[in-house]
Amino acid sequence: MNAAQLPPVAPEVTATLVEGLSPRLRKRLDAAVTKLAARPTHRDGDTTTIEVDDETELRLHAPGGVVAKVEDITCGCLLAPACVHRAAAACAAPAADLAPEPAEQATPEAPGPASATAPAAFGPDAAHALGLNVAPASGPDAATGVAPNAAPGRAPNIAPDAATPHETASPDQRAAADALWSAGAAVLEAGVDGAGAVTQSALLRAAHTARLRHLPRVAGAALSVVTLLRAARAGDPSYRTAELVTALAELLGTARRVGTASGAELAAVRGRVRRPYSPDGSLRLYGLFTEPVVTDSGHGGVRTWVAGADGRLFTVGDVAPGGVGRALGVADRAVRLGDSALTHRELGRAGLAVSGATVSPDGRLGAGKTVKAVTARGAAWTEPPLAALWETPPAEQAARALRSTSRYVDPDGTGSDLLFLDVELLGAVREPGGACLLAQCEGGVQVRLTVADDDPALAHRDNLALLAAAPGTRLRIIGRLIPATHPRLTLLACTHPTGEGTVDLGLDRLRRADLPDPSAPAHYAPPQPAGPGGPSPLYLLERRVEQTVPAGRAALGLLGDVTAETRRIRRGGLPTAAALLTALCASAAQRDRDLFGRLLPADTDGFAAYWLAAARYTAAVSESLCAAAWNAAEGDPVAMPPVPVHDAAG
């Protein structure tokens, strides 16, 4: 059994079942989850059955696809309903998404406080790192506000609700945010290894309360953290520590801002449960490509990208519970938009004429009853209006994508993280995590192309391996920006190597006969530098931030003296990073004693505040270095817009 075989369970159901266990059974809960995962499972309609043993069955009833009530999980053992099996099943299943689409969207697309005192010994740079309300510093060492967007497994990008200019959070909202801060700080204290089912249930309970208090953004971040924790503890190969770092920073930073934000900032911090759709008249759309979507919560489907006559990008999605199998099947289903009979694959290469269109702020097309759509002629990537997408210089496209996907600017739902490039393939490049494809685009910028999803059922990995065997091939590509100290994209679509048509690299499979030289082996390009100025010493702080997540606060407390690392960071021109590293490690090691010499409880809130400052600071500097890397061949670094810095004093 794996989590994808079980129906999603509402967070409050999981929290209630765990809270109802006796202290003795709570200690056995993690072992019960592991044991239950090895048992056979089968589904019959809305009911999923797990064979606990030869004589006992556990049933999860999910009308509508979600287990919404405690009574929907039943067990046949002698200790039921007070047994550990029901809580273990809820903890093993995916957490249900709490942000449904409005009725106008025909198919839902699923996914992403404290009382601690801010450190005052670092000067103004550290105030920026902690989000204090001061004027932002300039240059790559300036720190910025909290990350709003979570990674794969993250909460949906949600638009803010309206707020009056002087409105502030209610006492109930501040209390809910405080509870989420405490739950997130507990995760940092314990690390992945110690954040078992009981810790996760505390997060789920706090997320449910925050949702009831109209704080969907921070509640969604909490669900993302739980999903990633479960993936990490289960040894999911798709799990990445950096994604959990981003999700935790979003959770802690947003929870802290609830108590201090007002007006428009409060609206952004609250978020919005439902994505609004507004009328957009008549649209002439041209298909670009279709990508498979597989989420950590067990959802699967596709997203088709289209462009308007004015160059605006739109998406038509179909994502629901089902995983990678559903993603492959939905690609050949008809698009649910008006009267069109096109499948998603066909729409990626054809066109639509839409009247009465409705569009969300992030470009999703609504499929309400008033929307009319008929099939129309498409356009090749080399024909107008699509050809204009490739005419913008790569550095400008990267700057736009960074503004759209920044981890520390409140999301407004606008912009796109896609880049449109003309490249020449240079071959594969070996990296610690595997191999990627190196290509050179106009202006001399060399970009690394990686797979969007490692799942072997999808075509990404095999297609990239074949393209590595065709150095010198010139292609027109579409990729998604990955913020890094060197130009990096996930490769989503490209023109066919033969020059005929296009390839959706997650769905269409290239053959060796499609290459210019079918017998050529994979070509490895010579090693490339990490960035325009070589590796940045910022990684010394980044690795300590990431090290906290799997091992907890105690891992940093055992490091001892970090003077050598801070000295190297200062020589690299990042004094704030050096100060944050010193303070972070000192906070991790600090344990006071009472008058009798007994250890007092650790200051989890204080450590979480330092960790959040370091995580936000490294994200801000990394994005500045990313912009500079894309612009390295054109001279001056890309000018980034002013970044709002928020009061995080709590």
Side-chain angles (χ1 to χ4, degrees):
M1 181 195 78
N2 59 56
Q5 294 176 291
L6 299 179
V9 178
E12 64 272 21
V13 172
T14 302
T16 300
L17 289 173
V18 173
E19 291 164 359
L21 296 176
S22 65
R24 180 179 64 87
L25 290 180
R26 288 191 185 189
K27 294 179 181 179
R28 297 172 49 189
L29 181 56
D30 288 328
V33 172
T34 302
K35 183 178 179 180
L36 207 63
R39 302 302 301 167
T41 302
H42 64 272
R43 178 176 295 184
D44 182 11
D46 291 336
T47 302
T48 301
T49 303
I50 305 174
E51 297 180 11
V52 178
D53 54 39
D54 294 338
E55 300 178 354
T56 306
E57 289 185 341
L58 179 68
R59 291 185 175 87
L60 291 83
H61 184 54
V66 175
V67 178
K69 297 185 295 184
V70 173
E71 296 79 13
D72 289 338
I73 302 181
T74 59
C75 182
C77 74
L78 295 177
L79 296 178
C83 63
V84 74
H85 302 131
R86 298 170 70 218
C91 292
D97 182 19
L98 294 179
E101 289 293 311
E104 182 182 48
Q105 185 70 358
T107 306
E109 184 161 338
S115 59
T117 302
F122 307 147
D125 279 348
H128 283 280
L130 283 171
L132 296 180
N133 192 15
V134 294
S138 59
D141 199 31
T144 51
V146 67
N149 293 325
R154 67 188 179 187
N157 190 14
I158 44 183
D161 287 316
T164 58
H166 303 293
E167 182 182 1
T168 59
S170 68
D172 285 345
Q173 289 179 327
R174 289 194 291 269
D178 287 345
L180 276 170
W181 169 276
S182 298
V187 171
L188 276 180
E189 175 72 16
V192 169
D193 294 338
V198 175
T199 302
Q200 294 168 24
S201 72
L203 261 177
L204 292 174
R205 172 62 71 192
H208 176 62
T209 303
R211 181 70 61 171
L212 295 178
R213 300 292 184 266
H214 306 291
L215 297 173
R217 175 175 166 182
V218 70
L223 292 187
S224 295
V225 170
V226 171
T227 299
L228 291 168
L229 281 174
R230 291 177 176 177
R233 292 175 62 85
D236 189 335
S238 66
Y239 165 77
R240 299 292 183 270
T241 300
E243 295 175 1
L244 185 50
V245 168
T246 301
L248 271 171
E250 160 73 352
L251 169 62
L252 293 172
T254 307
R256 166 155 286 186
R257 289 174 58 195
V258 168
T260 59
S262 62
E265 181 187 350
L266 177 60
V269 171
R270 283 175 177 166
R272 169 169 280 171
V273 176
R274 295 179 180 270
R275 183 176 292 105
Y277 286 79
S278 57
D280 205 343
S282 298
L283 297 174
R284 179 65 168 90
L285 304 175
Y286 300 85
L288 280 167
F289 71 101
T290 300
E291 63 171 324
V293 178
V294 182
T295 71
D296 294 332
S297 60
H299 290 71
V302 294
R303 180 188 299 116
T304 299
W305 289 81
V306 295
D310 56 357
R312 286 189 298 162
L313 299 181
F314 304 91
T315 60
V316 181
D318 186 347
V319 181
V324 67
R326 187 179 189 279
L328 295 174
V330 168
D332 293 313
R333 293 184 188 176
V335 175
R336 299 182 182 182
L337 191 67
D339 301 323
S340 172
L342 292 174
T343 66
H344 280 274
R345 285 181 190 264
E346 292 169 344
L347 176 58
R349 296 171 173 84
L352 279 179
V354 183
S355 63
T358 58
V359 183
S360 72
D362 59 353
R364 302 191 189 195
L365 292 169
K369 295 180 180 179
T370 61
V371 178
K372 306 296 181 183
V374 295
T375 304
R377 176 185 176 277
W381 288 4
T382 54
E383 299 175 352
L386 299 185
L389 297 172
W390 279 266
E391 295 175 359
T392 304
E396 292 184 22
Q397 294 191 51
R400 180 207 64 216
L402 277 173
R403 289 191 294 269
S404 172
T405 62
S406 173
R407 291 173 284 176
Y408 51 84
V409 174
D410 286 324
D412 59 6
T414 61
S416 167
D417 56 358
L418 299 184
L419 270 69
F420 303 84
L421 305 175
D422 289 306
V423 302
E424 179 181 347
L425 303 183
L426 302 180
V429 172
R430 292 185 175 91
E431 294 185 326
C436 66
L437 179 60
L438 186 69
Q440 181 167 305
C441 53
E442 65 178 69
V445 176
Q446 293 187 348
V447 56
R448 301 186 186 205
L449 307 175
T450 65
V451 296
D453 196 311
D454 281 326
D455 195 308
L458 300 176
H460 291 293
R461 189 169 58 186
D462 293 340
N463 286 336
L464 200 73
L466 279 177
L467 292 176
T473 303
R474 302 186 68 86
L475 298 175
R476 178 160 279 193
I477 68 170
I478 302 176
R480 178 168 286 115
L481 178 72
I482 301 177
T485 56
H486 53 271
R488 194 176 186 90
L489 301 175
T490 55
L491 188 57
L492 301 175
C494 69
T495 52
H496 199 281
T498 62
E500 299 180 1
T502 60
V503 181
D504 297 335
L505 291 168
L507 299 170
D508 304 327
R509 291 189 178 273
L510 290 170
R511 298 173 298 175
R512 188 164 291 276
D514 295 326
L515 304 181
D517 184 1
S519 62
H523 172 75
Y524 282 88
Q528 303 296 317
S536 167
L538 183 68
Y539 81 91
L540 295 171
L541 177 60
E542 287 178 325
R543 72 177 182 180
R544 299 308 180 195
V545 169
E546 291 194 1
Q547 185 179 6
T548 307
V549 172
R553 179 189 57 80
L556 292 188
L558 298 175
L559 286 179
D561 188 12
V562 291
T563 302
E565 293 184 11
T566 58
R567 186 182 300 116
R568 182 176 174 185
I569 294 174
R570 290 183 187 278
R571 286 201 303 266
L574 299 173
T576 300
L580 285 170
L581 177 59
T582 301
L584 180 65
C585 294
S587 177
Q590 182 179 2
R591 291 296 301 272
D592 296 330
R593 295 179 182 271
D594 62 15
L595 295 176
F596 298 98
R598 294 171 300 193
L599 281 174
L600 295 173
D603 182 10
T604 57
D605 283 351
F607 176 72
Y610 283 105
W611 182 88
L612 175 61
R616 287 159 46 166
Y617 176 86
T618 56
V621 177
S622 295
E623 290 176 14
S624 293
L625 294 175
C626 175
W630 276 95
N631 204 53
E634 300 182 18
D636 297 332
V638 175
M640 297 294 290
V643 179
V645 180
H646 308 284
D647 184 5

